[in-house]
Amino acid sequence: MIYHQQEILRKELDSFSQKKQSVGFVPTMGALHEGHLSLVEKALSENEVVVVSIFVNPTQFDNASDLEKYPRTLKADAQLLNTLKGTIFIYAPNVADLYGETVISKKYNFGGLEHAMEGKYRTGHFDGVGTVLNLLFRALQPTRAYFGEKDFQQLQIVRRLVAIEQLPVTVVGCPILRESHGLAMSSRNQRLTATQFKEADLIYKTLKKVREHFLEESIPTLQAMAEGIFAESAHLELEYFEIANIENLKTARRKRKGNSYRAFVAAYAGEIRLIDNMELPKI
Ligand code: AMP
């Protein structure tokens, strides 16, 4: 069932809350793939009802062309969700239903998490993400909300957002689903040519190589190795490769015992921007 108005959906959800039944929530921008479905399946296994929002949020895009070209496939998305067992409500609002008349971002201080990586390269991105999620959480009042580790920085920021806004929701992180050659599933993959799609497995291969050598090599060596791999690619242009501490997302210059790290990549295939990350072994 697709709802375009939060007021009507809210009434439906109230009947679950009144019976003390839990509401799971999976926020998405649509063009759904198996990665999204894995989040929905987890949410269905842990809650009586699941809301999937499908909304391409204008305030988190710093690039007008990326916003305009973002795939919008509501009918196919609904069909895909229909293949799952369980009670799923789709919330597909227009901008006004969510934002009202003023479509602007709130300014957040996420304790520095917002300045790393994606925040450095996409101005205002996390203010937009925080703003839309705050609006969605307040409108839908879910018990649990599910986010992919594919956007690991976003996941950490959402945890901070929930604390800042004092929202009574549990944030659940979910593993990255990949294509058979390793490329992380993404709505943007639809826009890749066959060659770009094939070659984009380099991102996964690089992350895997870094993971394999993480314990014996220094971080500068691993950094040079990753950058060297991309420098030789005719199809992918590296925007950043970073090894960062998972708690504060600060760039790691050397490994410290007891800390946990992940490797992060953003790269362009033509004009399509792809991101990925991978957990690194414990030291
Ligand atoms: P998006 O529609 O790209 O905003 O993504 C909606 C949610 O799905 C976010 O929490 C993403 O992290 C998650 N997601 C996207 N791609 C994947 C994937 N390949 N594996 C797991 N989760 C994903």
Side-chain angles (χ1 to χ4, degrees), residues 27-29 33 35-36 39 70 147-148 150-151 175-177 185:
T28 82
M29 297 206 296
H33 50 70
H36 295 114
L39 268 57
Y70 201 88
F147 292 86
K150 157 90 175 9
D151 301 280
I176 302 173
L177 254 75
M185 288 181 177

Side-chain angles (χ1 to χ4, degrees), residues 29 57 59-63 66-67 70 114-129 151 154 188 239-240 266 268 273 275:
M29 297 206 296
N57 173 36
T59 63
Q60 72 188 67
F61 284 81
D62 63 340
N63 177 324
D66 192 23
L67 171 61
Y70 201 88
E114 72 276 30
H115 302 311
M117 301 180 285
E118 292 301 283
K120 219 183 298 174
Y121 290 91
R122 301 183 71 187
T123 315
H125 174 67
F126 288 118
D127 281 337
V129 169
D151 301 280
Q154 170 176 277
R188 289 191 169 85
E239 185 166 60
Y240 64 76
Y268 280 91
R273 190 170 182 279
I275 61 169

Side-chain angles (χ1 to χ4, degrees), residues 4 38 44 75 103 109 125 145 191 197 208 212 257 281-282:
H4 297 288
S38 71
L44 283 168
K75 215 169 142 192
V103 189
N109 176 348
H125 174 67
R191 295 179 54 210
F197 180 82
K208 226 167 60 153
E212 279 160 21
K257 233 184 160 56
K282 253 221 120 46

Side-chain angles (χ1 to χ4, degrees), residues 260-274:
S260 299
Y261 300 96
R262 282 181 100 95
F264 296 83
V265 168
Y268 280 91
E271 61 171 17
I272 298 141
R273 190 170 182 279
L274 302 169

